[in-house]
Structures are given as structure tokens and as C-alpha cells.
Amino acid sequence: MDTGDRLLTPGEVAALFRVDPKTVTRWAAAGRIGSIRTPGGHRRFRESEVRALLEGEGMLDEADEMGRPRNAGPTASTGPAGPANAGMY
Amino acid sequence: MDTGDRLLTPGEVAALFRVDPKTVTRWAAAGRIGSIRTPGGHRRFRESEVRALLEGEGMLDEADEMGRPRNAGPTASTGPAGPANAGMY
DNA sequence: AAAGACTCGGGTAATTAGGGGC
DNA sequence: TTTGTCCTAATTACCCGAGTCT
């Protein structure tokens, strides 16, 4: 039980999944992802849990996936520093 | 190094290939392209993988594509070979 | 204490998923 | 065999003002 779980903000998780921060909040409200609340009401997510969801660990959907590209993006720049949102409307 | 782990939405990929988002979904369902699912069930595609497909990395004989005679006898190999997966890392 | 950036909450439009048939 | 279009249901994205976190 390594408790080395970094806590991620909704914005961080949203960038990882390429979704809106509000969507991440909905997942927490729906109980699809564990969340910790700060005394002020803001949510925090466990980095280990988020990564498990990204890998699809524990849940295969379609064809088997091999290859395991290590996602080592340290998010130093806080985001793709760019087209975080590709306007398509 | 940046492997380009940006995730694209079905609509983005569809616009890149000039096809319907539904078609992209079928590719994912058929295992021809890797896909990551959000807790809500929506799919996200890796920008690097999509780009490789656009380049034609998955097709080795485009010349044969033109005069392609009827598919008469290649037994459905047990393993679809799964070339979709590019182990170039 | 003050400022900036982010998140919260609700509500509405757009996109996506899945099946069926051409 | 593959793609495009139909439908309904679910999920997601952007709008606002107010509060919280660094």
C-alpha cells in the first residue's frame, strides 16, 4: 500500500482525459472516481487511480491492446501548452 | 521526449480522415485503432497513433490497392496480425 | 490583506454511443 | 465488406456568478 498518491486537481485530470474539468467533477459526483474534498469544497483526485483509469486497467473494452507506452509526461508545463481546445464547432 | 500523448475526440479523428465519427467508432470497435474510454464511455484516441495511420504506416501495399482482385482465398489467419499497433517507441 | 487562477454549482446546447437498415 | 444515415439515450462542453486556493 504505497501511500505515495499525489493528489491531482480537476484541471489536471481533465487534461489527462482530454475532457472539461466540469466533467471530472461529474465523475466524482457519480461515484465513478474517488475524490477527496478540501475544507473549502474543492475536489482532489488520486494520481494512481486516475492512471489506472487511463490505462483501462481492470477493464478491457475492445480489442486487446498490447504495447505499453510509458506515459511519463511530468506535466512540467502544465498542459500541452497549446491547443488544449481545438475548436471544432 | 514528447511522444505526443495528446488525446483526440472521435469528431477530431473523423475530421482528419474525412469520415463520419461513427466510422471512427467502428474502427475502434474492430480493434483497428487503439482507444481509451472515459469513465462515461466516450472514446479518446492518441494523436500519435492517428497520425501514424494518416501517414499510411498501417498500409504496406498501397500499390496493390488499385488493382485489387477479389479476395478469394486467404484464410482468415487466426491473428489479424494486428498491425494497427505500432511498436515504435 | 490583496490579486490572480482555479473550482464550484446549475442549466442548456453539442457530441457521442449503440442498434438497425440501406 | 465497408461506409453513411436514421433513431433514442447518455455523456460531455460551454454559459453564468460566487467562492476557494496559492
Side-chain angles (χ1 to χ4, degrees):
Chain A
M1 38 239 278
D2 42 40
T3 53
D5 300 352
R6 258 188 317 176
L7 291 179
L8 302 177
T9 61
E12 286 281 289
V13 180
L16 259 33
F17 278 94
R18 188 61 180 84
V19 295
D20 193 272
K22 197 72 81 191
T23 302
V24 180
T25 298
R26 270 193 218 99
W27 295 342
R32 285 176 174 153
I33 181 173
S35 61
I36 310 275
R37 308 266 293 201
T38 65
H42 285 197
R43 294 188 182 81
R44 290 287 120 90
F45 305 91
R46 297 194 179 280
E47 202 248 2
S48 53
E49 191 172 348
V50 173
R51 270 173 58 166
L53 256 41
L54 271 171
E55 296 273 338
E57 230 166 278
M59 181 179 170
L60 270 308
D61 35 305
E62 296 103 337
D64 54 316
E65 219 176 314
M66 59 195 247
R68 273 181 156 71
R70 212 53 154 180
N71 190 2
T75 75
S77 306
T78 313
N85 187 338
M88 121 192 212
Y89 172 94
Chain B
M1 65 227 258
D2 193 300
T3 51
D5 292 78
R6 284 182 299 176
L7 297 177
L8 301 178
T9 61
E12 287 267 308
V13 180
L16 259 34
F17 281 94
R18 286 264 189 224
V19 296
D20 249 41
K22 194 73 171 174
T23 301
V24 179
T25 296
R26 283 179 192 159
W27 294 344
R32 292 188 197 169
I33 180 173
S35 62
I36 295 175
R37 312 267 296 211
T38 64
H42 283 202
R43 294 189 183 86
R44 292 282 118 93
F45 305 91
R46 291 191 177 278
E47 201 266 352
S48 53
E49 192 171 346
V50 172
R51 210 192 291 170
L53 257 34
L54 279 169
E55 293 271 329
E57 293 289 323
M59 290 196 129
L60 302 174
D61 47 20
E62 55 182 61
D64 210 333
E65 204 71 54
M66 291 224 135
R68 173 159 75 182
R70 183 158 308 161
N71 192 10
T75 60
S77 353
T78 321
N85 163 325
M88 61 210 207
Y89 263 92

